[in-house]
Short mmCIF file of all heavy atoms in Angstrom, two decimals:
data_model
loop_
_atom_site.label_atom_id
_atom_site.label_comp_id
_atom_site.label_asym_id
_atom_site.label_seq_id
_atom_site.Cartn_x
_atom_site.Cartn_y
_atom_site.Cartn_z
N ASP D 41 -0.70 12.22 -10.02
CA ASP D 41 -0.97 11.22 -11.07
C ASP D 41 0.10 10.14 -11.07
O ASP D 41 -0.19 8.95 -11.21
CB ASP D 41 -1.01 11.89 -12.45
CG ASP D 41 -2.43 12.26 -12.85
OD1 ASP D 41 -3.38 11.71 -12.26
OD2 ASP D 41 -2.60 13.12 -13.73
N MET D 69 -9.80 15.14 -9.57
CA MET D 69 -9.06 14.15 -10.35
C MET D 69 -9.82 12.84 -10.43
O MET D 69 -9.93 12.23 -11.50
CB MET D 69 -7.68 13.90 -9.72
CG MET D 69 -6.65 14.96 -10.01
SD MET D 69 -5.04 14.50 -9.29
CE MET D 69 -4.74 12.92 -10.09
N ALA D 70 -10.36 12.40 -9.31
CA ALA D 70 -11.10 11.14 -9.27
C ALA D 70 -12.35 11.22 -10.14
O ALA D 70 -12.68 10.28 -10.87
CB ALA D 70 -11.48 10.79 -7.84
N HIS D 71 -13.05 12.34 -10.06
CA HIS D 71 -14.26 12.51 -10.88
C HIS D 71 -13.93 12.51 -12.36
O HIS D 71 -14.67 11.94 -13.17
CB HIS D 71 -14.94 13.82 -10.49
CG HIS D 71 -16.16 14.13 -11.31
ND1 HIS D 71 -17.36 13.45 -11.15
CD2 HIS D 71 -16.37 15.03 -12.32
CE1 HIS D 71 -18.24 13.92 -12.02
NE2 HIS D 71 -17.66 14.88 -12.74
N ARG D 72 -12.79 13.10 -12.72
CA ARG D 72 -12.42 13.22 -14.12
C ARG D 72 -12.13 11.86 -14.75
O ARG D 72 -12.39 11.64 -15.94
CB ARG D 72 -11.19 14.12 -14.23
CG ARG D 72 -10.94 14.67 -15.62
CD ARG D 72 -9.95 15.82 -15.57
NE ARG D 72 -8.67 15.40 -15.00
CZ ARG D 72 -7.99 16.09 -14.11
NH1 ARG D 72 -8.47 17.22 -13.65
NH2 ARG D 72 -6.83 15.65 -13.66
N VAL D 73 -11.59 10.93 -13.99
CA VAL D 73 -11.23 9.62 -14.54
C VAL D 73 -12.14 8.50 -14.02
O VAL D 73 -11.85 7.33 -14.20
CB VAL D 73 -9.75 9.28 -14.25
CG1 VAL D 73 -8.84 10.28 -14.91
CG2 VAL D 73 -9.48 9.24 -12.74
N SER D 74 -13.25 8.88 -13.36
CA SER D 74 -14.24 7.91 -12.87
C SER D 74 -13.61 6.88 -11.94
O SER D 74 -13.81 5.67 -12.10
CB SER D 74 -14.95 7.22 -14.05
OG SER D 74 -15.59 8.15 -14.87
N LYS D 75 -12.85 7.36 -10.95
CA LYS D 75 -12.23 6.49 -9.96
C LYS D 75 -12.64 6.92 -8.56
O LYS D 75 -13.05 8.06 -8.36
CB LYS D 75 -10.70 6.57 -10.09
CG LYS D 75 -10.14 5.97 -11.37
CD LYS D 75 -8.66 6.22 -11.47
CE LYS D 75 -7.87 5.59 -10.34
NZ LYS D 75 -6.41 5.79 -10.47
N PHE D 140 -1.56 -2.16 -22.34
CA PHE D 140 -2.06 -1.28 -23.41
C PHE D 140 -0.88 -0.72 -24.19
O PHE D 140 0.17 -0.40 -23.63
CB PHE D 140 -2.88 -0.14 -22.82
CG PHE D 140 -3.55 0.74 -23.85
CD1 PHE D 140 -4.69 0.31 -24.49
CD2 PHE D 140 -3.03 1.98 -24.16
CE1 PHE D 140 -5.32 1.11 -25.44
CE2 PHE D 140 -3.64 2.79 -25.11
CZ PHE D 140 -4.79 2.35 -25.75
N ARG D 156 -3.11 2.67 -15.63
CA ARG D 156 -3.28 3.18 -14.28
C ARG D 156 -4.75 3.17 -13.82
O ARG D 156 -5.03 3.33 -12.65
CB ARG D 156 -2.72 4.60 -14.18
CG ARG D 156 -1.20 4.66 -14.33
CD ARG D 156 -0.50 4.00 -13.17
NE ARG D 156 0.93 4.03 -13.28
CZ ARG D 156 1.70 5.05 -12.89
NH1 ARG D 156 1.14 6.15 -12.40
NH2 ARG D 156 3.00 4.98 -13.00
N GLY D 157 -5.67 3.01 -14.76
CA GLY D 157 -7.08 2.96 -14.42
C GLY D 157 -7.86 2.56 -15.66
O GLY D 157 -7.50 2.93 -16.78
N VAL D 158 -8.92 1.80 -15.47
CA VAL D 158 -9.70 1.34 -16.63
C VAL D 158 -11.15 1.15 -16.24
O VAL D 158 -11.47 0.73 -15.12
CB VAL D 158 -9.11 0.03 -17.21
CG1 VAL D 158 -9.18 -1.10 -16.20
CG2 VAL D 158 -9.79 -0.35 -18.51
N SER D 159 -12.05 1.52 -17.15
CA SER D 159 -13.48 1.29 -16.98
C SER D 159 -14.03 0.90 -18.35
O SER D 159 -13.27 0.76 -19.32
CB SER D 159 -14.18 2.55 -16.46
OG SER D 159 -14.22 3.55 -17.47
N VAL D 161 -15.66 2.71 -20.28
CA VAL D 161 -15.70 3.85 -21.20
C VAL D 161 -14.35 4.53 -21.40
O VAL D 161 -14.17 5.23 -22.41
CB VAL D 161 -16.73 4.91 -20.72
CG1 VAL D 161 -18.12 4.33 -20.73
CG2 VAL D 161 -16.36 5.44 -19.35
N GLN D 162 -13.39 4.36 -20.50
CA GLN D 162 -12.13 5.08 -20.66
C GLN D 162 -10.98 4.37 -19.96
O GLN D 162 -11.18 3.42 -19.18
CB GLN D 162 -12.26 6.51 -20.14
CG GLN D 162 -12.58 6.62 -18.67
CD GLN D 162 -12.91 8.06 -18.28
OE1 GLN D 162 -13.35 8.87 -19.10
NE2 GLN D 162 -12.69 8.39 -17.02
N LEU D 163 -9.78 4.87 -20.25
CA LEU D 163 -8.57 4.25 -19.73
C LEU D 163 -7.55 5.35 -19.42
O LEU D 163 -7.35 6.26 -20.23
CB LEU D 163 -8.02 3.26 -20.76
CG LEU D 163 -6.69 2.57 -20.48
CD1 LEU D 163 -6.76 1.11 -20.93
CD2 LEU D 163 -5.54 3.27 -21.21
N SER D 164 -6.91 5.29 -18.24
CA SER D 164 -5.80 6.19 -17.94
C SER D 164 -4.51 5.39 -18.10
O SER D 164 -4.43 4.23 -17.70
CB SER D 164 -5.93 6.79 -16.53
OG SER D 164 -6.07 5.79 -15.54
N PHE D 165 -3.51 6.04 -18.67
CA PHE D 165 -2.34 5.33 -19.18
C PHE D 165 -1.10 6.16 -18.92
O PHE D 165 -1.06 7.37 -19.19
CB PHE D 165 -2.56 5.12 -20.69
CG PHE D 165 -1.44 4.44 -21.43
CD1 PHE D 165 -1.09 3.13 -21.13
CD2 PHE D 165 -0.76 5.10 -22.45
CE1 PHE D 165 -0.07 2.49 -21.83
CE2 PHE D 165 0.24 4.47 -23.15
CZ PHE D 165 0.60 3.16 -22.85
N TYR D 166 -0.06 5.51 -18.35
CA TYR D 166 1.22 6.17 -18.11
C TYR D 166 2.18 5.76 -19.23
O TYR D 166 2.73 4.65 -19.23
CB TYR D 166 1.78 5.75 -16.75
CG TYR D 166 3.09 6.39 -16.39
CD1 TYR D 166 3.11 7.68 -15.88
CD2 TYR D 166 4.29 5.71 -16.54
CE1 TYR D 166 4.31 8.29 -15.53
CE2 TYR D 166 5.49 6.30 -16.21
CZ TYR D 166 5.50 7.59 -15.70
OH TYR D 166 6.68 8.18 -15.37
N PRO D 167 2.36 6.64 -20.23
CA PRO D 167 3.19 6.25 -21.38
C PRO D 167 4.68 6.34 -21.07
O PRO D 167 5.12 7.23 -20.34
CB PRO D 167 2.79 7.28 -22.45
CG PRO D 167 2.38 8.49 -21.67
CD PRO D 167 1.78 7.98 -20.38
N MET D 171 3.69 11.78 -25.35
CA MET D 171 2.51 11.86 -26.22
C MET D 171 2.04 13.31 -26.36
O MET D 171 0.93 13.57 -26.81
CB MET D 171 1.37 10.99 -25.65
CG MET D 171 1.68 9.50 -25.66
SD MET D 171 0.35 8.47 -24.96
CE MET D 171 -0.99 8.77 -26.11
N LEU D 176 -5.20 17.00 -28.68
CA LEU D 176 -6.40 16.51 -27.99
C LEU D 176 -7.50 16.23 -29.01
O LEU D 176 -7.60 16.88 -30.05
CB LEU D 176 -6.88 17.51 -26.95
CG LEU D 176 -5.95 17.75 -25.75
CD1 LEU D 176 -6.56 18.79 -24.82
CD2 LEU D 176 -5.70 16.46 -25.00
N ASN D 177 -8.34 15.25 -28.68
CA ASN D 177 -9.47 14.81 -29.53
C ASN D 177 -9.01 14.07 -30.78
O ASN D 177 -9.84 13.81 -31.66
CB ASN D 177 -10.36 15.99 -29.92
CG ASN D 177 -10.98 16.66 -28.70
OD1 ASN D 177 -11.47 15.99 -27.80
ND2 ASN D 177 -10.92 17.98 -28.65
N THR D 178 -7.72 13.70 -30.84
CA THR D 178 -7.26 12.86 -31.94
C THR D 178 -7.79 11.45 -31.77
O THR D 178 -7.74 10.88 -30.68
CB THR D 178 -5.72 12.83 -31.97
OG1 THR D 178 -5.21 14.13 -32.23
CG2 THR D 178 -5.21 11.87 -33.05
N LEU D 180 -7.38 7.61 -32.14
CA LEU D 180 -6.28 6.66 -32.20
C LEU D 180 -6.82 5.35 -32.76
O LEU D 180 -7.57 4.63 -32.09
CB LEU D 180 -5.67 6.46 -30.81
CG LEU D 180 -5.24 7.75 -30.10
CD1 LEU D 180 -4.80 7.45 -28.67
CD2 LEU D 180 -4.14 8.45 -30.86
N CYS D 196 -9.78 4.62 -29.93
CA CYS D 196 -9.83 5.52 -28.78
C CYS D 196 -9.72 6.96 -29.24
O CYS D 196 -9.23 7.25 -30.34
CB CYS D 196 -8.68 5.22 -27.81
SG CYS D 196 -8.65 3.52 -27.19
N VAL D 197 -10.14 7.88 -28.36
CA VAL D 197 -9.92 9.30 -28.60
C VAL D 197 -9.09 9.85 -27.45
O VAL D 197 -9.30 9.49 -26.28
CB VAL D 197 -11.25 10.07 -28.75
CG1 VAL D 197 -12.10 9.95 -27.49
CG2 VAL D 197 -11.00 11.53 -29.09
N PHE D 198 -8.11 10.67 -27.79
CA PHE D 198 -7.15 11.21 -26.82
C PHE D 198 -7.76 12.46 -26.19
O PHE D 198 -7.98 13.46 -26.86
CB PHE D 198 -5.85 11.54 -27.56
CG PHE D 198 -4.72 11.97 -26.68
CD1 PHE D 198 -4.32 11.20 -25.62
CD2 PHE D 198 -4.02 13.15 -26.94
CE1 PHE D 198 -3.26 11.57 -24.81
CE2 PHE D 198 -2.96 13.54 -26.15
CZ PHE D 198 -2.58 12.75 -25.08
N ILE D 199 -8.02 12.42 -24.86
CA ILE D 199 -8.78 13.52 -24.26
C ILE D 199 -8.03 14.26 -23.15
O ILE D 199 -8.53 15.27 -22.66
CB ILE D 199 -10.14 13.03 -23.71
CG1 ILE D 199 -9.98 11.96 -22.64
CG2 ILE D 199 -11.01 12.53 -24.84
CD1 ILE D 199 -11.30 11.56 -22.00
N ARG D 200 -6.83 13.79 -22.73
CA ARG D 200 -6.10 14.55 -21.70
C ARG D 200 -4.62 14.29 -21.77
O ARG D 200 -4.17 13.14 -21.81
CB ARG D 200 -6.60 14.21 -20.30
CG ARG D 200 -6.07 15.17 -19.22
CD ARG D 200 -6.42 14.69 -17.82
NE ARG D 200 -5.59 13.57 -17.42
CZ ARG D 200 -5.82 12.82 -16.34
NH1 ARG D 200 -6.88 13.06 -15.60
NH2 ARG D 200 -5.02 11.82 -16.03
N HIS D 201 -3.84 15.38 -21.81
CA HIS D 201 -2.39 15.30 -21.70
C HIS D 201 -2.00 15.19 -20.23
O HIS D 201 -2.79 15.42 -19.33
CB HIS D 201 -1.75 16.56 -22.28
CG HIS D 201 -1.72 16.61 -23.77
ND1 HIS D 201 -0.94 15.78 -24.53
CD2 HIS D 201 -2.39 17.41 -24.66
CE1 HIS D 201 -1.11 16.05 -25.81
NE2 HIS D 201 -1.99 17.04 -25.92
N GLY D 202 -0.71 14.86 -20.00
CA GLY D 202 -0.19 14.81 -18.64
C GLY D 202 0.78 13.65 -18.49
O GLY D 202 1.04 12.90 -19.44
N ARG D 203 1.31 13.50 -17.28
CA ARG D 203 2.15 12.33 -17.02
C ARG D 203 1.33 11.05 -17.22
O ARG D 203 1.84 10.04 -17.68
CB ARG D 203 2.71 12.39 -15.60
CG ARG D 203 3.77 13.44 -15.38
CD ARG D 203 4.35 13.32 -13.98
NE ARG D 203 5.40 14.30 -13.72
CZ ARG D 203 5.18 15.51 -13.27
NH1 ARG D 203 3.94 15.90 -13.02
NH2 ARG D 203 6.18 16.35 -13.08
N VAL D 204 0.08 11.11 -16.77
CA VAL D 204 -0.87 10.03 -17.03
C VAL D 204 -1.91 10.59 -17.99
O VAL D 204 -2.60 11.55 -17.67
CB VAL D 204 -1.53 9.54 -15.73
CG1 VAL D 204 -2.57 8.47 -16.04
CG2 VAL D 204 -0.47 8.99 -14.77
N VAL D 205 -2.01 10.00 -19.18
CA VAL D 205 -2.95 10.50 -20.19
C VAL D 205 -4.28 9.78 -20.05
O VAL D 205 -4.37 8.70 -19.43
CB VAL D 205 -2.39 10.33 -21.61
CG1 VAL D 205 -1.04 11.03 -21.75
CG2 VAL D 205 -2.26 8.85 -21.98
N LEU D 206 -5.31 10.37 -20.61
CA LEU D 206 -6.64 9.79 -20.53
C LEU D 206 -7.18 9.56 -21.94
O LEU D 206 -7.14 10.46 -22.79
CB LEU D 206 -7.58 10.72 -19.75
CG LEU D 206 -8.98 10.16 -19.44
CD1 LEU D 206 -8.87 8.92 -18.53
CD2 LEU D 206 -9.82 11.24 -18.74
N LEU D 207 -7.66 8.36 -22.16
CA LEU D 207 -8.23 7.97 -23.46
C LEU D 207 -9.66 7.49 -23.25
O LEU D 207 -9.96 6.84 -22.25
CB LEU D 207 -7.41 6.85 -24.10
CG LEU D 207 -5.88 7.03 -24.15
CD1 LEU D 207 -5.23 5.77 -24.70
CD2 LEU D 207 -5.52 8.23 -25.01
N ARG D 208 -10.52 7.80 -24.20
CA ARG D 208 -11.89 7.31 -24.13
C ARG D 208 -12.10 6.30 -25.26
O ARG D 208 -11.66 6.52 -26.39
CB ARG D 208 -12.88 8.47 -24.26
CG ARG D 208 -14.35 8.03 -24.15
CD ARG D 208 -15.26 9.24 -23.99
NE ARG D 208 -15.02 9.91 -22.72
CZ ARG D 208 -14.99 11.24 -22.57
NH1 ARG D 208 -15.19 12.03 -23.60
NH2 ARG D 208 -14.77 11.76 -21.37
N PHE D 209 -12.75 5.19 -24.93
CA PHE D 209 -13.04 4.19 -25.95
C PHE D 209 -14.14 4.69 -26.88
O PHE D 209 -15.22 5.10 -26.41
CB PHE D 209 -13.47 2.87 -25.30
CG PHE D 209 -12.43 2.26 -24.40
CD1 PHE D 209 -12.73 1.91 -23.09
CD2 PHE D 209 -11.15 2.01 -24.87
CE1 PHE D 209 -11.78 1.34 -22.26
CE2 PHE D 209 -10.18 1.45 -24.05
CZ PHE D 209 -10.50 1.12 -22.74
#
Side-chain angles (χ1 to χ4, degrees):
D41 266 341
M69 281 183 58
H71 177 73
R72 198 165 59 224
V73 298
S74 301
K75 292 174 61 178
F140 186 77
R156 292 293 180 85
V158 63
S159 71
V161 297
Q162 62 189 25
L163 175 141
S164 55
F165 178 64
Y166 181 81
M171 294 179 64
L176 294 179
N177 299 315
T178 297
L180 307 174
C196 302
V197 60
F198 186 53
I199 60 175
R200 191 188 74 191
H201 284 291
R203 289 185 179 88
V204 177
V205 303
L206 187 63
L207 312 175
R208 182 168 294 140
F209 299 127

